């Protein structure tokens, strides 16, 4: 069964500092990987996705993520954090094999941005 | 593209009552998903439709839960005889069938069972 681990429950960074959120997955085949962001009381917004090809993917709001098969990781990065980036971030893996389409999510990383 | 919409946004009910939530997907999307999210956790898959056919159901979906998508457009999720453990955010997502199928989420329905 697939699983996703986000080791950091809570991260605090200063505005303007760089950010890296970690994501490790367990899946038997080629994974499809996603990062979503959730503001309080809201649904999930897609930041970026990886299906195949270039292992460095660009997303919205200046985020990028790198797929490293050897490390089973898909870490999210941003070079300079803005106060509006404060939210909860979820990494997800999808099987996309046969009829299976459900995403498996990590437990999330809460990001606090200090002024 | 108006996005995925869900109604109501909030629902407070007493234990034992039935509740129904509605999800309207992005208009051209043929796949629709329901997830449940409890506090401090990521969403957990409940069920998935392709057009009007319900193709996957999680073990989380007890027999008190039923979902429909009668004409392959909007979907409803009903919970019968609600329990306090049903309190959660219920998220709907939709996607378009294809090799890079990507799920887009609605704002969710927050259920509180007293």
């Amino acid at each position: 069964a697939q699983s996703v681990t986000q080791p950091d429950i809570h991260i605090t960074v200063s505005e303007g500092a760089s950010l890296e959120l970690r994501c490790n997955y367990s899946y038997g085949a080629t994974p499809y990987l996603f990062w979503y962001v959730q503001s309080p009381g809201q649904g999930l917004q897609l930041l970026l996705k990886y299906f195949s090809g270039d292992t460095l993917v660009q997303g919205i709001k200046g985020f990028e993520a790198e797929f490293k098969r050897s490390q089973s990781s898909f870490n999210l990065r941003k070079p300079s954090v803005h106060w509006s980036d404060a939210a909860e971030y979820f990494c997800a893996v999808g099987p996309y094999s046969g009829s299976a389409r459900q995403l498996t999510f990590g437990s999330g990383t809460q990001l606090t941005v200090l002024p | 593209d108006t996005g995925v919409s869900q109604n109501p946004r909030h629902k407070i009910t007493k234990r034992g009552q039935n509740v129904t939530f509605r999800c309207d997907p992005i208009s051209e999307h043929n796949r629709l998903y329901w997830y449940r999210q409890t506090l401090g956790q990521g969403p957990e898959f409940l069920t998935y439709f392709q057009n009007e056919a319900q193709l996957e159901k999680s073990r989380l979906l007890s027999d008190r839960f039923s979902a429909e998508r009668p004409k392959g457009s909007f979907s409803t999720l009903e919970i019968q005889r609600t329990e306090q453990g049903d309190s959660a955010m219920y998220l709907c997502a939709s996607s378009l069938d294809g090799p890079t199928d990507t799920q887009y989420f609605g704002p969710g329905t927050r259920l509180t069972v007293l």
Side-chain angles (χ1 to χ4, degrees), chain B residues 1-3 25-30 69 94:
Chain B
D1 180 352
T2 57
I26 294 170
S27 58
E28 66 270 24
H29 284 184
N30 59 344
R69 194 182 184 199
S94 70

Side-chain angles (χ1 to χ4, degrees), chain A residues 49-109:
Chain A
K49 58 190 176 184
Y50 172 78
F51 284 91
S52 64
D54 193 344
T55 56
L56 184 63
V57 294
Q58 302 297 320
I60 62 171
K61 305 185 179 185
F63 286 94
E64 66 177 27
E66 186 171 11
F67 169 57
K68 293 184 177 180
R69 184 186 299 275
S70 61
Q71 298 177 19
S72 298
S73 69
F74 189 57
N75 293 351
L76 182 71
R77 301 193 294 250
K78 187 170 184 177
S80 177
V81 171
H82 188 263
W83 64 266
S84 60
D85 293 326
E88 189 151 26
Y89 292 79
F90 292 95
C91 180
V93 63
Y96 289 68
S97 62
S99 65
R101 290 292 182 271
Q102 64 269 28
L103 294 178
T104 298
F105 286 84
S107 54
T109 297

Side-chain angles (χ1 to χ4, degrees), chain B residues 36-101:
Chain B
R36 182 173 68 188
Q37 185 181 23
T38 53
L39 205 59
Q41 299 298 316
E44 295 175 293
F45 171 78
L46 292 178
T47 190
Y48 142 64
F49 291 84
Q50 178 152 330
N51 301 311
E52 65 275 10
Q54 190 172 15
L55 296 187
E56 293 273 346
K57 291 171 65 173
S58 163
R59 287 172 292 177
L60 293 175
L61 210 65
S62 76
D63 56 7
R64 296 185 297 106
F65 287 68
S66 62
E68 294 183 342
R69 194 182 184 199
K71 295 184 179 179
S73 56
F74 73 91
S75 175
T76 58
L77 178 68
E78 181 183 16
I79 309 174
Q80 297 182 326
R81 305 181 303 281
T82 52
E83 302 173 356
Q84 288 187 323
D86 297 330
S87 295
M89 174 81 89
Y90 290 84
L91 294 164
C92 176
S94 70
S95 71
L96 183 63
D97 186 3
T100 58
D101 186 323

